[in-house]
Amino acid sequence: VGCNAAQYCISNSVNLDEASAWLDKSIKVKPTFTNYMLKAGMMEKNGKTSEAADLEKKAMTLATKDELDQHGYALIAKKKYAEAVDIFKLNLKNNPDDWNMYDSLAEGYNYTGEKKKAVDFYNKALAKAPEDQHERIKGILAELGTGN
């Protein structure tokens, strides 16, 4: 029992007290991005936005680059584009040699309508990306009207 069971309870709005206890225990044993984010989501649902924001900040310090990237895309799915860009910026700051961080930030900028920034970061991603990603990135750049 742990994060998966708590996630189920939160998603289905059932046994929330039990889910909260599982998350508290999980955090006590080993704080992770996942258990902090689940607890933050539960607190936000309960109107405790300040406490939720504090937990999210803690979660960000524990996140792997993949967790941050996935979180950014989850924010995009919720149409929280500016927040996603902030997450992608943080991830790029922490992982400046990873081409995918440039690609994700470019996509975030594309969603916020900042096409010039999107093009800039897609070009940076292209310069660092493995060969098997070049065609995809060039296709996006062409769609953005850069002719690359």
Side-chain angles (χ1 to χ4, degrees):
V1 180
C3 288
N4 289 339
Q7 174 67 56
Y8 175 85
C9 291
I10 294 165
S11 296
N12 293 287
S13 296
V14 297
N15 300 347
L16 295 179
D17 290 338
E18 198 170 15
S20 183
W22 291 332
L23 288 172
D24 289 342
K25 183 177 180 182
S26 176
I27 289 168
K28 188 176 181 180
V29 171
K30 183 178 182 190
T32 66
F33 173 79
T34 301
N35 57 26
Y36 272 139
M37 289 301 290
L38 285 171
K39 184 73 175 185
M42 177 177 273
M43 292 179 125
E44 194 169 336
K45 272 188 170 185
N46 291 327
K48 298 178 180 179
T49 54
S50 178
E51 295 96 327
D54 289 345
L55 279 181
E56 283 188 20
K57 285 179 187 173
K58 287 182 183 179
M60 294 304 133
T61 66
L62 299 173
T64 65
K65 69 179 178 180
D66 291 336
E67 287 171 329
L68 279 179
D69 204 47
Q70 290 168 2
H71 182 57
Y73 283 105
L75 290 168
I76 285 174
K78 294 177 183 176
K79 298 186 182 340
K80 295 181 176 184
Y81 305 130
E83 289 179 50
V85 165
D86 289 342
I87 294 299
F88 293 142
K89 283 181 184 177
L90 173 65
N91 215 4
L92 177 59
K93 179 183 173 194
N94 294 340
N95 302 285
D97 296 326
D98 189 324
W99 72 272
N100 192 44
M101 302 306 105
Y102 293 88
D103 186 76
S104 295
L105 182 53
E107 190 166 354
Y109 281 133
N110 200 12
Y111 274 100
T112 62
E114 298 175 82
K115 302 300 181 194
K116 186 176 179 184
K117 288 182 179 180
V119 167
D120 182 41
F121 280 93
Y122 275 124
N123 278 317
K124 289 176 182 178
L126 181 63
K128 293 178 173 283
E131 188 69 34
D132 67 346
Q133 294 294 319
H134 287 196
E135 185 176 334
R136 180 187 64 79
I137 296 170
K138 286 179 181 178
I140 295 168
L141 285 166
E143 288 175 16
L144 291 171
T146 64
N148 288 355

